[in-house]
Amino acid sequence: MKPTVEQALKEIERVVGAEHLLTDTATLSRYSVNMLATADILPAAVVRPTSTEELQQVLKIANTCKTPVWTLSGGQNRGYGMACAATPGTLIIDLKRMNRILEVNVELAYALVEPGVTFAQLYRYLRDNDIPLWMDVPSGSPEGSCLGNITERGAGYTPLGEKFLFSCGMEVVLADGQVLRTGTGTLPNSQTWQVFKWGYGPSLDGLFTQSNFGIVTKAGFWLMPRPPAYEPLAVTMDDPEAVYKAVEILRPLKLNMVIPNGACVTHVRKALGLTACWGEGKNILPRVGRRFDYPAETLKALKETYALGEWNFAGALYGLPETVRTYRGIVEDAFRSALPGCRFLSAEEQAASPYWRAREKAMRGEPLWEFDMSDWEGKAGALWISPVAPVTNEAVEQQIRIAEETYAKYGFHYAAELILGTGRDLHHIIWLLFDRSDAEERRRAELCEREMYDRYCEVGYLPYRTGLSTGDYLMRKLGPFRDICHDLKQLFDPNNILSPGKSGIDLANRS
């Protein structure tokens, strides 16, 4: 007789206990909510294992019963899907109870954590134990998962902002319950698991990022020694065309590591949207609306209130005091010579603005404690569209033009930031905000998102991640790569139980 989901749940309950297998309506509803253009997606149940060993048993049962599961670490990816699965009727595996900080090595500056460890938790651990190391954080919730952000290849704002680049060593549970350790962790009692990325033979870590080939249960990543001096830089630019010169200014400063962190150039609309998430929502949202459709006079007043320009650069300097002073002079000279109308904000001006206060925290690895989108959820839709571009003004001009044209076509307003990673590439993070309760506007948002993907891919700009509803749409543009991803899925997970549909990888939808 073919095993059923009900049989799988009975067996899983014996593993985790009834209190950690949740099927009540309120819980399932909470795990169905997202901010995308799709409807809410109701799961079959939620299971909360507390260890790798429990997870192994859960997966063995799910694999035997061919019950699809969807894995969550923090469930905080608001613009990409939040805590729901890609398809209804899926068993959600919530890993928040696996929340041990397994090691922080002060001498070698690394951490090893489980999926449930949040940015807030790790920050407090470092602070409370007076450990002179800094971590990297994104612009989102302090309750986001450190490990989850690595496996999604998220970007942050310190010199360690390319999260996956600075990860080192994973433990992965495969669909059949087998445990794999990557890098030198394959050797029992390895002494170099978190310090040497590559190990021996093929490097497998990347296979388990933005994929559904296994569930990562431990991840190591590098931390940053607290520098002797740190100075945040805040530059406002009122000219709408200033972004193109800013890109040209920043490229050599990034390539030569004068500015070593994940620096960003942010449009005023997104700066206001971020400010609304960072503790000022009640003051801003009623005036600007969740879709940024505010009049020019309102925008002008908000710029003055929050010390913002049309474009806003945030970067930071780190090192010895004399090095920071020298680099400050280099950055000022570069900006003032190319953009004489730009303005460097003083420390006092930065401290008076919630936007710049949050930027200052993020660039030294402190989570944004004030983060709150509760006033948005259930009311506003939010999609993040994230094409990557070379750091040239020609590429940035082309990408912004595509976004502005496409948004105008569908009745939306451009709001974005450019995050400069290595100095060669940048992440163009574009917000698409809409009224999720309006079916017609939701339809326009979905069409707009897909046309953005079409236009960017046509001219060679691939987004670095997508939301739940568009993974397959984007993956189908990638030809043989899509075929190989499905070949790997067949190898690692022939029963197609692990997060089917993640990044458009689903054996049931292979053709």
Side-chain angles (χ1 to χ4, degrees):
M1 186 175 68
K2 183 179 178 180
T4 66
V5 174
E6 290 74 18
Q7 287 175 300
L9 295 181
K10 286 180 181 178
E11 293 186 42
I12 289 171
E13 183 177 320
R14 287 195 285 269
V15 174
V16 300
E19 68 272 30
H20 298 300
L21 180 65
L22 310 174
T23 58
D24 61 282
T25 302
T27 297
L28 298 187
S29 177
R30 191 167 67 250
Y31 281 84
S32 75
V33 174
N34 62 72
M35 298 178 73
L36 305 179
T38 60
D40 291 347
I41 302 169
L42 198 69
V46 178
V47 60
R48 303 186 302 180
T50 192
S51 66
T52 296
E53 292 72 25
E54 280 192 2
L55 179 61
Q56 286 179 271
Q57 294 181 65
V58 168
L59 289 184
K60 287 177 182 178
I61 294 166
N63 199 40
T64 299
C65 297
K66 295 182 171 59
T67 300
V69 303
W70 187 271
T71 309
L72 300 176
S73 298
Q76 298 294 321
N77 280 338
R78 283 168 172 77
Y80 298 113
M82 290 183 66
C84 69
T87 54
T90 303
L91 171 62
I92 286 182
I93 299 178
D94 187 337
L95 302 177
K96 290 190 188 75
R97 293 178 67 226
M98 295 176 61
N99 62 355
R100 293 180 300 163
I101 298 172
L102 298 166
E103 182 183 6
V104 172
N105 188 301
V106 180
E107 186 178 20
L108 296 173
Y110 68 76
L112 177 66
V113 304
E114 292 184 324
V117 173
T118 67
F119 294 106
Q121 180 184 351
L122 181 58
Y123 179 83
R124 290 188 180 110
Y125 180 89
L126 297 174
R127 181 194 64 193
D128 295 348
N129 290 281
D130 197 25
I131 295 173
L133 298 174
W134 286 359
M135 54 191 274
D136 188 77
V137 296
S139 60
S141 171
E143 300 309 314
S145 164
C146 298
L147 182 152
N149 203 241
I150 289 169
T151 59
E152 289 298 318
R153 302 202 292 269
Y157 300 99
T158 73
L160 305 178
E162 288 282 0
K163 300 286 201 314
F164 177 59
L165 181 65
F166 293 104
S167 67
C168 192
M170 294 178 174
E171 177 185 88
V172 185
V173 181
L174 303 180
D176 61 2
Q178 179 183 351
V179 174
L180 168 71
R181 288 190 171 188
T182 66
T184 66
T186 56
L187 186 70
N189 197 33
S190 171
Q191 302 299 303
T192 55
W193 191 23
Q194 270 66 64
V195 298
F196 181 63
K197 287 177 68 75
W198 311 119
Y200 176 77
S203 178
L204 303 181
D205 301 67
L207 289 176
F208 302 104
T209 65
Q210 291 192 12
S211 77
N212 51 12
F213 304 148
I215 298 176
V216 180
T217 51
K218 294 181 179 67
F221 53 94
W222 297 337
L223 303 171
M224 173 183 173
R226 186 168 59 213
Y230 159 72
E231 183 171 352
L233 301 170
V235 183
T236 62
M237 297 161 277
D238 290 327
D239 182 356
E241 304 295 310
V243 60
Y244 309 122
K245 286 187 178 179
V247 167
E248 293 295 307
I249 294 166
L250 289 169
R251 184 178 59 248
L253 296 175
K254 288 288 298 173
L255 288 173
N256 289 287
M257 300 188 72
V258 174
I259 299 174
N261 71 309
C264 56
V265 182
T266 307
H267 188 269
V268 62
R269 288 196 187 97
K270 185 166 183 183
L272 289 169
L274 289 168
T275 304
C277 301
W278 295 340
E280 292 287 316
K282 292 181 180 179
N283 296 329
I284 291 180
L285 287 179
R287 287 189 284 162
V288 305
R290 292 177 180 81
R291 288 165 287 172
F292 299 128
D293 49 354
Y294 37 70
E297 285 305 310
T298 301
L299 177 59
K300 181 180 178 182
L302 288 168
K303 284 181 178 179
E304 293 175 359
T305 299
Y306 296 106
L308 297 169
E310 186 74 10
W311 288 96
N312 304 276
F313 166 68
L317 306 174
Y318 310 78
L320 296 171
E322 54 269 30
T323 302
V324 168
R325 282 194 298 272
T326 299
Y327 282 177
R328 166 77 187 218
I330 292 171
V331 174
E332 281 207 44
D333 288 346
F335 267 92
R336 294 191 191 284
S337 60
L339 286 168
C342 74
R343 192 164 76 88
F344 279 73
L345 300 187
S346 67
E348 293 75 20
E349 289 174 308
Q350 294 180 51
S353 165
Y355 174 79
W356 293 110
R357 286 200 303 270
R359 287 295 188 197
E360 187 276 331
K361 289 180 182 178
M363 292 187 295
R364 56 178 169 82
E366 181 174 352
L368 305 177
W369 306 109
E370 301 87 355
F371 181 91
D372 182 9
M373 287 186 79
S374 61
D375 193 44
W376 299 38
E377 293 164 12
K379 305 169 186 176
L383 299 169
W384 306 162
I385 300 169
S386 309
V388 175
V391 182
T392 66
N393 59 8
E394 296 86 0
V396 170
E397 189 278 332
Q398 186 179 31
Q399 285 210 0
I400 291 176
R401 177 171 46 80
I402 287 172
E404 289 181 334
E405 290 174 356
T406 309
Y407 274 39
K409 175 180 175 180
Y410 290 98
F412 300 111
H413 298 274
Y414 174 77
E417 71 176 336
L418 312 174
I419 306 176
L420 285 77
T422 63
R424 299 168 182 85
D425 70 286
L426 60 82
H427 294 57
H428 187 186
I429 313 298
I430 312 166
W431 279 15
L432 175 55
L433 302 186
F434 56 97
D435 184 349
R436 198 162 177 267
S437 66
D438 183 329
E440 192 277 331
E441 187 160 315
R442 207 166 61 235
R443 182 190 66 83
R444 283 191 288 114
E446 183 176 17
L447 291 172
C448 181
E449 179 187 26
R450 293 185 178 221
E451 185 167 323
M452 290 275 280
Y453 289 144
D454 291 342
R455 294 192 65 182
Y456 282 130
C457 288
E458 282 170 7
V459 292
Y461 299 124
L462 183 65
Y464 89 102
R465 63 197 288 194
T466 65
L468 294 178
S469 58
T470 47
D472 180 68
Y473 188 80
L474 184 61
M475 182 62 86
R476 287 182 181 275
K477 297 180 181 294
L478 303 183
F481 176 75
R482 179 177 184 270
D483 297 332
I484 290 172
C485 286
H486 282 84
D487 289 343
L488 289 168
K489 181 68 170 173
Q490 184 69 49
L491 174 68
F492 282 109
D493 180 19
N495 289 329
N496 199 40
I497 67 161
L498 297 180
S499 300
K502 170 69 177 174
S503 294
I505 304 168
D506 184 352
L507 293 179
N509 195 28
R510 180 168 187 169
S511 62

